Amino acid sequence: MTQSLPGQRPAHERAFAGRAGLPVVVVGAGPYGLSVAAHLRAAGAQVRIFGEVMGSWRHAMATGMFLKSTPDATDLSAPGPGGRLADFRRAHGEPELTELTPIPCDVFVRYGMWFQKRYVGDVEPNRVVAVDRAPTGRGFLVRLDYGQELPAAAVVVATGLNGLAHIPAVLRRLAPEGPGAGALVSHTSHHTDLSAYAGRRVAVIGGGQSALESAALLHEAGAAVQVLVREPRVLWGAKPDPARPWAQRVARPASPLGPGWILAAVCKAPHAVRWCPAAARMLLFRRALGPSGGWWLRDRVDGVVPVRTATRVTRAGAEAATGVRLDIAGPSGPETLTVDHVLAATGYRLDVEAVPFLSGAVRDALACVPGSKAPRLSASLESSVPGLYFTGSLAAPMLGPMMRFVAGTEFTAERITRHASRLLVRR
Ligand SMILES: Cc1cc2nc3c(=O)[nH]c(=O)nc-3n(C[C@H](O)[C@H](O)[C@H](O)COP(=O)(O)OP(=O)(O)OC[C@H]3O[C@@H](n4cnc5c(N)ncnc54)[C@H](O)[C@@H]3O)c2cc1C
């Protein structure tokens, strides 16, 4: 964060001094918040952005993890040229990453921090604890963790999956949850260091990248791991072939989310996804990218870590002497497993009610996508509360699966900036 000299007004106030109007508040400083703030600032809007720069990538991912997306699908959106991951690597004399080189999380964190310095400037590390409608009826009142309240013309929610981690009810009874040494169940997002489980028996629940990569890291750290997967088999991504023949490129065109016509279409025109019937959108959301492991992870799991497919946990109970007893149902009938810890790689619930800082009045005014608790959004990512925007995964049920990934930052930042600029002129 840019520092102010003692006695000097913070840089954001200096920059905005003399410009009329209230700021746009961006809540969150991950890929989406940084991209939106960069575009808004370049467009001349007053912006205050809150959160820890790349916070989730520092605190909600285990050390040693890699990104599943390829380098060209991992660019934050800058308002001009020069802000791509490749530019960052070049600027630091680091070799170019290709689609055959998985990106370590720490490279992505350094890229985000470089991007922030170059395109965003001040980011205030405070947490937003409340967003309510302004008493005047126009704009919002935003409260920070140290009690300060500030008025805002518009608010952009860019808090990613924070607060949305999902642990199935059958495992929740093992609570208290969390990463503490004594906890019997935790979610993958609770961990930065899985080596704490060395020498312990861990059941990983889930069949996606998070489950499979956590299992690999646990195994490599010396834990006795087994993975329980509900699906009949584990799916692995195909190794990219940079020399794909022309006919294959036409049959399955490339997209930031992988090859295939459907993925290419939803990435090209996320705004068009809104016009699909709600049921089709939800199907797209759930099915377009089902759980699978990255191609580069396969050798670390397949035949290395025991994986039980078509297996569900039917009951979980704590046993004082032995640990956790899991009753499971699989292809060979009911069985019992005893482990020391259960790691739930069971995804996230897209639920606006779980966004902790939205006031009751704001939540009540939010229209949701039928059949879900995700906000209904316009093609500019504005919710039914004028001036309140949602980005990232919470936008995916309306605007398609690209919003779950960094690849959606460009569409998001451009759309919100265009819309918010018009809104600010009107206010
Ligand atoms: C294990 C895992 C692996 C993933 N791998 C990939 C991948 O390879 N490629 C890809 O494209 N996507 C991947 N994703 C999805 C990824 O989360 C998103 O693409 C990306 O991080 C979304 O960015 P974001 O800005 O929406 O949220 P985040 O990156 O989660 O950033 C959230 C920000 O909000 C801040 N914040 C939270 N609450 C508050 C508050 N109350 N006040 C202020 N600030 C707050 C945090 O400090 C942080 O700055 C992965 C997700 C997970 C869980």
Side-chain angles (χ1 to χ4, degrees):
M1 173 174 171
T2 315
Q3 297 295 321
S4 303
L5 297 172
Q8 194 178 30
R9 292 167 72 191
H12 61 82
E13 285 185 19
R14 292 200 302 274
F16 303 150
R19 293 197 206 158
L22 300 174
V24 177
V25 164
V26 178
V27 191
Y32 277 88
L34 292 174
S35 299
V36 172
H39 280 252
L40 283 168
R41 280 190 174 156
Q46 297 188 49
V47 184
R48 287 183 71 176
I49 167 168
F50 297 96
E52 187 180 357
V53 178
M54 300 300 279
S56 306
W57 291 87
R58 296 198 227 171
H59 305 300
M61 314 262 176
T63 306
M65 280 194 164
F66 291 84
L67 272 76
K68 194 175 165 194
S69 55
T70 53
D72 58 358
T74 311
D75 294 322
L76 276 63
S77 179
R84 304 188 63 196
L85 175 60
D87 297 313
F88 160 75
R89 298 281 292 179
R90 211 171 298 121
H92 290 81
E94 295 173 15
E96 195 180 337
L97 296 163
T98 72
E99 56 187 336
L100 297 176
T101 8
I103 309 165
C105 279
D106 64 291
V107 168
F108 190 51
V109 170
R110 287 196 294 117
Y111 166 52
M113 297 174 84
W114 172 83
F115 182 96
Q116 174 250 319
K117 289 196 185 79
R118 204 176 150 105
Y119 294 104
V120 182
D122 273 3
V123 173
E124 298 172 63
N126 311 95
R127 288 189 81 74
V128 167
V129 294
V131 170
D132 207 345
R133 282 177 142 160
T136 56
R138 301 179 81 191
F140 300 89
L141 210 50
V142 174
R143 195 165 69 245
L144 304 177
D145 48 7
Y146 62 96
Q148 196 208 343
E149 283 195 334
L150 64 125
V155 171
V156 180
V157 177
T159 47
L161 297 166
N162 281 271
L164 306 180
H166 169 65
I167 297 184
V170 70
L171 301 176
R172 276 204 299 271
R173 48 191 304 262
L174 295 172
E177 57 186 63
L184 298 176
V185 63
S186 60
H187 189 269
T188 41
S189 62
H190 294 150
H191 295 278
T192 49
D193 181 12
L194 290 171
S195 68
Y197 292 98
R200 299 178 71 195
R201 299 163 298 174
V202 183
V204 177
I205 316 292
Q209 173 74 9
S210 211
L212 299 167
E213 195 171 14
S214 300
L217 289 168
L218 283 162
H219 170 78
E220 288 155 11
V225 196
Q226 28 193 325
V227 187
L228 308 182
V229 182
R230 203 172 38 181
E231 287 74 22
R233 63 196 180 97
V234 171
L235 297 177
W236 295 101
K239 185 173 178 179
D241 175 7
R244 273 201 314 154
W246 179 84
Q248 266 185 36
R249 284 173 201 265
V250 173
R252 302 200 64 201
S255 86
L257 305 187
W261 277 103
I262 294 181
L263 292 181
V266 296
C267 291
K268 204 79 192 150
H271 49 286
V273 175
R274 286 180 68 250
W275 298 111
C276 298
R281 272 201 322 268
M282 289 313 286
L283 195 68
L284 191 63
F285 173 77
R286 294 204 178 97
R287 295 279 170 79
L289 292 166
S292 70
W295 62 270
W296 45 265
L297 182 60
R298 190 168 188 162
D299 288 349
R300 293 165 59 195
V301 177
D302 229 8
V304 178
V305 178
V307 177
R308 293 168 185 251
T309 51
T311 299
R312 277 180 314 112
V313 176
T314 54
R315 197 181 160 282
E319 307 222 324
T322 49
V324 181
R325 176 193 153 118
L326 293 177
D327 293 345
I328 58 174
S332 42
E335 273 181 75
T336 298
L337 283 183
T338 305
V339 295
D340 300 307
H341 188 80
V342 180
L343 183 62
T346 39
Y348 299 83
R349 278 276 148 84
L350 301 183
D351 180 351
V352 277
E353 283 168 25
V355 178
F357 49 82
L358 296 177
S359 73
V362 169
R363 271 186 222 158
D364 290 348
L366 279 173
C368 285
V369 176
S372 87
K373 289 185 177 170
R376 204 177 70 205
L377 302 177
S378 72
S380 300
L381 296 97
E382 188 184 34
S383 67
S384 53
V385 175
L388 180 64
Y389 301 86
F390 286 87
T391 68
S393 286
L394 280 166
M398 277 307 285
L399 292 152
M402 188 165 72
M403 301 298 129
R404 290 167 50 194
F405 299 91
V406 178
T409 52
E410 185 171 345
F411 173 84
T412 300
E414 287 177 358
R415 288 283 172 140
I416 292 181
T417 300
R418 208 177 314 146
H419 190 269
S421 315
R422 287 203 295 265
L423 181 95
L424 298 187
V425 169
R426 286 202 304 273
R427 283 197 167 155

